[in-house]
Amino acid sequence: MRRLTLFIVSDSIGETADLVAKAAASQFRQGLETVSMKRFSHVEDESQLNEIVYLAKKQEAIIVYTLVKSDMRFRLKEECKNKGIKCIDLMGPIVDLISAELDEHPIEEPGLVRKLDEDYYKKIEAIEFAVKYDDGRDPRGILKADIVLVGVSRTSKTPLSQYLAHKRYKVANVPLVPEVDPPEELFMIEPEKCFGLVISPEKLNFIRKERLIALGLKDDANYAQLDRIKTEIEHFKKVVEKIGCNVIDVTNRAVEETANVILSEISSRNG
């Protein structure tokens, strides 16, 4: 039984070429058993290319490569031609076609697709975190969060958590009510991680009445009473003073504006 060796060459980790080569080999009977693959990752200079071609010549291997830099692709192709080595360029033709269609030169930076994937999965993880630790459901999330939001009901804690999650921050939010002691975890975190959201009693009174009406309820419930709201806000002030965190007035701010205040604060701390 003849055996075939494929050299997988990449200026990143080589996952793409490896998967394509395996998919192709699987189309043949016992293909994955008779085709062996050796991966050469993070190939960045011509001396490495020359060494790989030399080894391929000795082992009668075929070179399959994904190199984003056009000069590296050209050098490898020429070296293979000179040494009589068969090679397959998986990246070049696609990049060249897209470049021509867009009338734009490619960046030619290795590993960009992995960076995009990592960024995507980090965002998804942050969104799932915000859902899991929304509205004080599990106080353990407070200690794991990048940002903790506290405030009375209807101060936009949940939409703000989701907005910040799309910026890849893990956010937990905790509602504060006078009848329930705040979770002790709030006083265990660094105050800089916590942001209190406050709103004028009159604005909150209007928002809560609208909320009750939307739910088909009467708007004169204790939840929307001005005296009740003032009591909640006084309780809020005592808690955030004990935490020592920043307080943001969200009375006339959109969620995006509040988020920008938080992100600017974090950015200034990180220098």
Side-chain angles (χ1 to χ4, degrees), residues 41-52:
S41 304
H42 304 291
V43 177
E44 298 177 351
D45 58 60
E46 292 183 27
S47 63
Q48 291 174 287
L49 293 180
N50 294 337
E51 180 66 20
I52 291 167

Side-chain angles (χ1 to χ4, degrees), residues 37-69:
M37 301 179 194
K38 184 173 182 179
R39 193 188 299 189
F40 298 85
S41 304
H42 304 291
V43 177
E44 298 177 351
D45 58 60
E46 292 183 27
S47 63
Q48 291 174 287
L49 293 180
N50 294 337
E51 180 66 20
I52 291 167
V53 172
Y54 172 77
L55 292 173
K57 181 70 173 180
K58 289 188 66 175
Q59 298 180 29
E60 298 183 343
I62 294 174
I63 295 178
V64 180
Y65 59 100
T66 51
L67 299 169
V68 299
K69 294 183 178 180

Side-chain angles (χ1 to χ4, degrees), residues 87-193:
C87 64
I88 303 170
D89 180 3
L90 296 180
M91 182 71 71
I94 301 175
V95 171
D96 292 342
L97 181 60
I98 294 174
S99 176
E101 289 295 315
L102 297 179
D103 192 24
E104 179 181 341
H105 292 294
I107 299 171
E108 296 195 349
E109 181 180 336
L112 281 181
V113 69
R114 291 191 69 243
K115 291 180 183 178
L116 291 172
D117 286 345
E118 288 169 6
D119 184 67
Y120 171 78
Y121 286 116
K122 189 174 181 180
K123 181 188 292 185
I124 295 300
E125 184 181 1
I127 293 171
E128 291 176 345
F129 186 96
V131 171
K132 183 175 182 179
Y133 297 110
D134 181 46
D135 208 30
R137 290 175 186 168
D138 186 348
R140 291 176 297 181
I142 295 170
L143 301 177
K144 303 175 185 177
D146 300 317
I147 298 171
V148 178
L149 306 175
V150 296
V152 301
S153 175
R154 312 311 297 176
T155 48
S156 300
K157 296 184 299 299
T158 295
L160 182 56
S161 295
Q162 285 295 323
Y163 185 92
L164 291 168
H166 278 81
K167 302 294 183 180
R168 299 173 299 283
Y169 287 94
K170 294 180 179 178
V171 186
N173 74 76
V174 181
L176 298 179
V177 292
E179 294 78 15
V180 180
D181 290 334
E184 60 183 21
E185 287 84 354
L186 275 180
F187 308 105
M188 298 167 60
I189 61 172
E190 298 173 3
E192 293 79 12
K193 290 175 59 176

